[in-house]
Amino acid sequence: MENCNGEDMKQRVALKPMDAEQLREYGHKVVDFVADYYKSIESFPVLSQVKPGYLKEILPQSAPSHPEPLEDVLNDLQHKIVPGVTHWQSPNYFAYFPSNSSTAGFLGEMLSAGFNIVGFSWLTSPAATELEVIVMDWLAKMLELPEQFLSSGKSLCLLMLSMLKLLYGNGGGVIQGTASEAVLVALLAARDRTLRRDESVGIDRLVVYGSDQTHSALKKACQLGISTRLTLSYCWQIAGIHPKNCRLLPTSSSTNYAFNPKVLSGTISEDSMNGLCPFFLCATVGTTSSTAVDPLPALGKIAKDNKMWFHVDAAYAGSACICPEYRHYLDGVEEADSFNMNAHKWLLTNFDCSALWVKDSSSLVQALSTNPEFLKNKVSEEKLVIDYKDWQVPLGRRFRSLKLWMVMRLYGSENLQNYIRGHIKLAEYFEQLLVGDPRFKVVAPRTFALVCFRLEAPKNSPDNGDKLNRDLLEAVNSSGDIFLSHTVLSGQFILRFAVGAPLTEERHIKAAWKLLQEKATLLLEHDAL
């Protein structure tokens, strides 16, 4: 028995980690803290102004031995943690892509934390699995995805091959953590499907295709397992596609940085002639740099002709496609094997909630399923249910469908559509402001709510104005008033202005534009000296 004094023993006995009344008391205080944070969010610098290592200097070196009052913890949170937060929900946040929160999403996250289930199989919490099946079908219908992506696809139900197909169809959706996880599991399913189809093909001959605008998650998914030398089985369980076989084909301004089907066809033909096996194609609807839209119909035909898995990444722009006027950007998704969008980016569902649909769920299961004795149960063995552990890389999973369910029910599809339209209108307004100032240039078509632009450099600028635009970005971000990010297109340094924070209004666009103009004037005057 451990040595401990009477006071320590008394505190141990008194500890009730989940006391209902304490939860009620503390919960009210924490919700008040969060609500006050949102009321005052505009008072904080959008981009955190702290230096690396700041927190180590102001927090104790060891955890406390005894309980501390919640008031003290919240006080430290306010004065020590919040200064180190970059405020993604600020109405003046225009960097990267949005990561939306909402009252509905927050409440769903709170409920998920309250239940705290680990729903890796149907048995571990039937409601978690079944609600996920339902809300993923709801979202698929909002996007007007082909019915093969629904768990209740009619053509598959008619086969009546099993109770599972009768209830759920052979396609269906699953909530992943991020789009990076979604492309990884699609890649694993495609890899194993290809290797099963032709046993003479070695993994070293498999080739993946994307464009130079495809998200870096594709390259990372290919590389996983290559640098690790633990065991052969581990390398095979993760994609293990050699980096030299990951083709990121060039784009240009002539196609508005969209994938060029002719370049793709030529590359596939050359690879096939060299004895390689093209097996996976990733197209994007709304690229990260400029929200370019790849030509899905043409790419889908190429994938089909070459018996390749066709994955469509609409992580950002997928949310916009719930609006009828933007749905045409998904035309051609009929040929896709998998489709992904992030509800946590622009659909008011708190991070993380990345929606992935597949036409053939058995491809995921065959690539990702493990069934050790301690997980076996009657309903799973009889194939009566979905076990989502077999649709993802990890075993454990959170009750993420709750927050998506809450968002859909508390807001409804019409409000969500109008929410998206509002941001696109604000982005159009910012674009008009840019066009009205000859010192600035819009450098890529604005398709959704991202505007790519740069400050035009004086003639004979040695670096074509890249330093000028880097300095402009640094000037506005260091002010703390707004936060922008950048990219490089056609070798030029470009500023990105992404509208999408839930609280952003026209006045914030005007203030951001005024700041950009002021900083641009100072930089141009300085360079003229």
Side-chain angles (χ1 to χ4, degrees):
M1 183 175 177
E2 296 182 11
N3 292 323
C4 56
N5 58 41
E7 183 179 350
D8 287 341
M9 180 62 75
K10 183 177 179 181
Q11 287 182 341
R12 287 189 187 183
V13 172
L15 178 63
K16 293 182 179 179
M18 185 50 75
D19 177 78
E21 292 309 313
Q22 186 184 59
L23 175 64
R24 192 187 313 278
E25 177 190 351
Y26 283 14
H28 279 297
K29 292 179 179 179
V30 170
V31 169
D32 284 344
F33 182 93
V34 174
D36 289 342
Y37 165 74
Y38 275 97
K39 286 185 69 174
S40 61
I41 196 168
E42 292 187 56
S43 67
F44 302 111
V46 186
L47 178 64
S48 174
Q49 306 294 299
V50 302
K51 302 297 183 182
Y54 89 100
L55 200 54
K56 187 175 181 180
E57 297 178 359
I58 57 178
L59 288 186
Q61 294 183 358
S62 302
S65 299
H66 303 291
E68 298 181 355
L70 177 62
E71 288 74 14
D72 291 355
V73 177
L74 293 179
N75 185 64
D76 280 352
L77 183 63
Q78 180 70 55
H79 295 99
K80 298 177 181 179
I81 303 300
V82 170
V85 170
T86 290
H87 302 280
W88 285 65
Q89 307 309 314
S90 169
N92 297 307
Y93 181 97
F94 304 106
Y96 309 115
F97 279 135
S99 180
N100 281 183
S101 67
S102 66
T103 300
F106 177 83
L107 294 176
E109 192 71 67
M110 184 188 298
L111 289 169
S112 177
F115 292 127
N116 199 32
I117 62 108
V118 185
F120 51 81
S121 67
W122 180 89
L123 187 70
T124 57
S125 271
T129 296
E130 298 196 11
L131 184 62
E132 188 159 337
V133 170
I134 291 167
V135 297
M136 289 298 289
D137 276 1
W138 285 3
L139 186 52
K141 291 174 183 177
M142 288 170 63
L143 291 163
E144 297 183 17
L145 294 183
E147 68 174 20
Q148 296 98 313
F149 283 117
L150 274 65
S151 64
S152 55
K154 293 179 182 178
S155 60
L156 293 168
C157 286
L158 292 174
L159 295 175
M160 300 183 68
L161 294 177
S162 67
M163 183 64 75
L164 179 60
K165 288 185 180 180
L166 178 63
L167 292 175
Y168 298 117
N170 202 40
V174 57
I175 300 176
Q176 305 285 340
T178 65
S180 301
E181 295 172 48
V183 73
L184 174 59
V185 298
L187 189 66
L188 293 172
R191 178 202 65 183
D192 283 12
R193 185 183 73 172
T194 303
L195 295 176
R196 283 194 307 271
R197 190 164 53 200
D198 187 349
E199 295 182 358
S200 68
V201 175
I203 194 170
D204 60 323
R205 291 169 54 196
L206 299 181
V207 186
V208 171
Y209 300 85
S211 80
D212 59 6
Q213 299 301 305
T214 302
H215 196 279
S216 59
L218 177 64
K219 186 175 182 179
K220 188 173 185 179
C222 292
Q223 290 177 328
L224 284 171
I226 290 297
S227 61
T228 303
R229 299 296 182 188
L230 296 180
T231 65
L232 181 61
S233 62
Y234 176 84
C235 290
W236 270 72
Q237 187 63 20
I238 305 299
I241 308 301
H242 200 283
K244 70 179 182 180
N245 286 353
C246 182
R247 307 273 190 266
L248 300 179
L249 305 180
T251 60
S252 70
S253 58
S254 64
T255 60
N256 294 327
Y257 303 102
F259 215 137
N260 189 324
K262 290 183 179 179
V263 174
L264 175 64
S265 292
T267 305
I268 289 175
S269 296
E270 183 178 350
D271 284 340
S272 297
M273 289 177 61
N274 289 330
L276 298 175
C277 180
F279 86 104
F280 188 89
L281 171 61
C282 181
T284 308
V285 176
T287 58
T288 302
S289 283
S290 64
T291 63
V293 177
D294 291 337
L296 301 189
L299 297 178
K301 184 178 186 305
I302 293 171
K304 185 176 182 179
D305 290 346
N306 290 276
K307 298 180 180 179
M308 301 167 65
W309 184 290
F310 185 32
H311 177 72
V312 176
D313 174 1
Y316 162 71
S319 296
C321 296
I322 69 171
C323 301
E325 63 268 34
Y326 298 105
R327 172 57 180 78
H328 68 277
Y329 290 115
L330 297 186
D331 288 351
V333 73
E334 297 80 14
E335 296 298 336
D337 295 278
S338 52
F339 175 84
N340 169 237
M341 60 82 69
N342 285 349
H344 62 238
K345 271 191 168 66
W346 202 9
L347 206 61
L348 292 174
T349 307
N350 292 39
F351 187 82
D352 54 353
C353 186
S354 184
L356 171 69
W357 290 269
V358 291
K359 283 182 178 175
D360 180 14
S361 60
S362 66
S363 295
L364 289 183
V365 174
Q366 290 180 69
L368 298 165
S369 177
T370 56
N371 194 29
E373 186 63 35
F374 56 83
L375 295 182
K376 293 180 179 178
N377 61 85
K378 184 177 180 180
V379 289
S380 295
E381 294 294 309
E382 293 178 355
K383 308 295 184 184
L384 298 175
V385 296
I386 288 176
D387 287 336
Y388 274 128
K389 69 179 179 62
D390 299 329
W391 295 41
Q392 62 177 30
V393 173
L395 172 65
R397 62 197 329 270
R398 302 171 59 238
F399 201 167
R400 286 183 288 225
S401 57
L402 266 178
K403 53 190 172 185
L404 186 55
W405 186 58
M406 294 285 285
V407 166
M408 290 177 170
R409 292 198 63 187
L410 293 184
Y411 299 142
S413 59
E414 288 187 5
N415 278 329
L416 292 173
Q417 290 168 348
N418 289 330
Y419 172 75
I420 297 290
R421 291 175 181 129
H423 284 148
I424 294 175
K425 185 176 180 181
L426 290 176
E428 290 175 349
Y429 175 61
F430 179 75
E431 183 181 40
Q432 292 168 4
L433 293 173
L434 281 168
V435 171
D437 188 331
R439 299 177 302 171
F440 290 88
K441 179 182 179 181
V442 177
V443 298
R446 182 205 49 76
T447 308
F448 302 104
L450 172 69
V451 182
C452 294
F453 69 100
R454 60 185 275 130
L455 179 62
E456 292 280 68
K459 292 182 179 180
N460 302 320
S461 175
D463 64 350
N464 199 27
D466 280 359
K467 182 180 183 302
L468 177 65
N469 281 277
R470 289 179 186 274
D471 290 346
L472 177 59
L473 182 67
E474 172 63 24
V476 296
N477 285 346
S478 62
S479 73
D481 294 333
I482 65 174
F483 181 33
L484 306 185
S485 57
H486 77 280
T487 190
V488 173
L489 293 172
S490 298
Q492 291 187 319
F493 188 89
I494 306 297
L495 278 64
R496 298 169 70 263
F497 190 92
V499 182
L503 298 174
T504 301
E505 300 173 358
E506 185 175 311
R507 64 185 177 90
H508 301 108
I509 306 299
K510 289 180 178 178
W513 174 235
K514 181 181 179 183
L515 178 65
L516 281 162
Q517 286 186 306
E518 290 173 352
K519 298 298 184 182
T521 297
L522 291 174
L523 288 170
L524 291 171
E525 289 176 349
H526 179 270
D527 286 355
L529 296 177

